[in-house]
Amino acid sequence: MHVVDHPVQCRYDVAMNATPPPSPRERALLAAAAREFATAGFERASLNAVIRACGMSKSSFYHRFDSKQALFDRVVDEAAAALARELAAPDPAELAGPDFWPRLEAFVAHAAAALAKPAWYADLGKLFYLPDVSAERSAAMRRLLAGVDRWVQAVLKAGRACGAVRDDLPASLQAELAFAVLQAMDRWSIRHMETMGAAARRRLAASQLDSLRRLLAPD
Amino acid sequence: MHVVDHPVQCRYDVAMNATPPPSPRERALLAAAAREFATAGFERASLNAVIRACGMSKSSFYHRFDSKQALFDRVVDEAAAALARELAAPDPAELAGPDFWPRLEAFVAHAAAALAKPAWYADLGKLFYLPDVSAERSAAMRRLLAGVDRWVQAVLKAGRACGAVRDDLPASLQAELAFAVLQAMDRWSIRHMETMGAAARRRLAASQLDSLRRLLAPD
DNA sequence: CTCCGACTGGACCACCCGGTCCACCCAGGC
DNA sequence: GCCTGGGTGGACCGGGTGGTCCAGTCGGAG
């Protein structure tokens, strides 16, 4: 398992925003906002609820942010940066070769483990599931989704190059399918996780990755 | 292709509601409501917009319906009934046997064609894509989703019984995966349909069904 | 003709939304 | 001490929400 032996540059352009060191007050605000946005999406989220939750007044909020939208963008940027730091997605080129699938499976397992431990930025994941409305007007969200998409496309391309991924389907469709399958697995796992033992979970994880492989690999 | 030779009873319990013959006014209301709910979901949909769209006044609406929720339930029931009539989903038991996959593919193709021609109740499909919020409080939506789920589960069970579907994954997960894949294909197709010729579409449809089969069939 | 009930228009309600505005507080420089 | 300017509380705004209410209009039955 020497996949990450030498330092891996994570190279999807999650905004490497030079954020000014956030004050505790601002940190509380961002946490409350992340929770609210994650559970309700952008439009349904109530700014009033956010500032109420962290005991901040309207004017104090608007002193730091221009709008609800600006807050959302900031939350997305912050969470995306934290997530990228945590996941350390491998360079797609490194996945190519006869070990394509084992390597990819290693990364997926690693990513799943990283996302399993609850952290505030894990809420970001939920925003992926309702991107239709929020993504339209959020530059940060568009940037993030585009970056993820580019990474997935690159991985698929590498997989095709080494014969590990079939090429009789449009790549963009394959990417969407893979995303949908991972997402469905994620949802299902979250719902059934408590009712399974450790062994069942391992078996499940293996079966899930196997399903993904069946979907994408040739023959 | 004698799958539907003898009359097929569609047996998921879409409310066979004995609706009083809807007046033209009511029909316009339901159409406007379906459009609004389909594009915005239940909560974001504006009742005011609906009645404005069909030139009805608040009081006239509330004379016929108890609430926005009641309107939504009625729309779902109506659309579900129309859809069930149109699709004529086969009895899962009839799919069993060595022809499981060809038969299922025939039905999926038939269903796709039926849904392709635009009709007002086709909007119902869009509600499937945002069931999280609306389904919670709508008895009609819960009933419909439960019915579809039961049908899918029955199909999977029949497929397992005749060895056409692998059984090393939980059935509920398989159902969710199949649903997610079909949904992703649907979305992608809608987005790319115009840029393809007829031949490409046929090839695409075949590839899509093949992908579904890869995901669910053993080996 | 009267009466009645189904139906309609539209004013109105309380509530919530994102956003603005202004008076104020208070630490730091002079 | 005073001034200043970043930060703050909270009243307030316009607008949209689902829902209520009531005064009327009409067609048909008696």
Side-chain angles (χ1 to χ4, degrees), chain B residues 44-121:
Chain B
R44 282 175 36 102
S46 164
L47 181 59
N48 291 331
V50 170
I51 62 179
R52 205 184 310 130
C54 62
M56 178 175 274
S57 84
K58 262 302 178 54
S59 61
S60 305
F61 168 77
Y62 276 99
H63 181 71
R64 286 179 171 75
F65 290 90
D66 286 341
S67 62
K68 183 189 183 185
Q69 183 69 63
L71 173 64
F72 181 77
D73 281 11
R74 177 69 190 282
V75 167
V76 170
D77 276 338
E78 207 78 14
L83 210 56
R85 219 179 303 126
E86 188 85 7
L87 289 188
D91 185 332
E94 297 188 3
L95 291 173
D99 285 343
F100 178 86
W101 280 107
R103 283 177 181 167
L104 189 60
E105 287 177 7
F107 167 66
V108 171
H110 164 69
L115 288 175
K117 54 181 168 185
W120 71 274
Y121 54 77

Side-chain angles (χ1 to χ4, degrees), chain A residues 136-169:
Chain A
E136 284 177 18
R137 297 198 171 177
S138 164
M141 199 70 182
R142 269 199 306 271
R143 240 178 302 144
L144 175 59
L145 288 175
V148 171
D149 187 57
R150 205 170 332 123
W151 185 81
V152 172
Q153 298 268 2
V155 168
L156 285 175
K157 191 178 169 195
R160 287 178 177 209
C162 64
V165 172
R166 60 198 289 220
D167 56 2
D168 57 340
L169 239 60

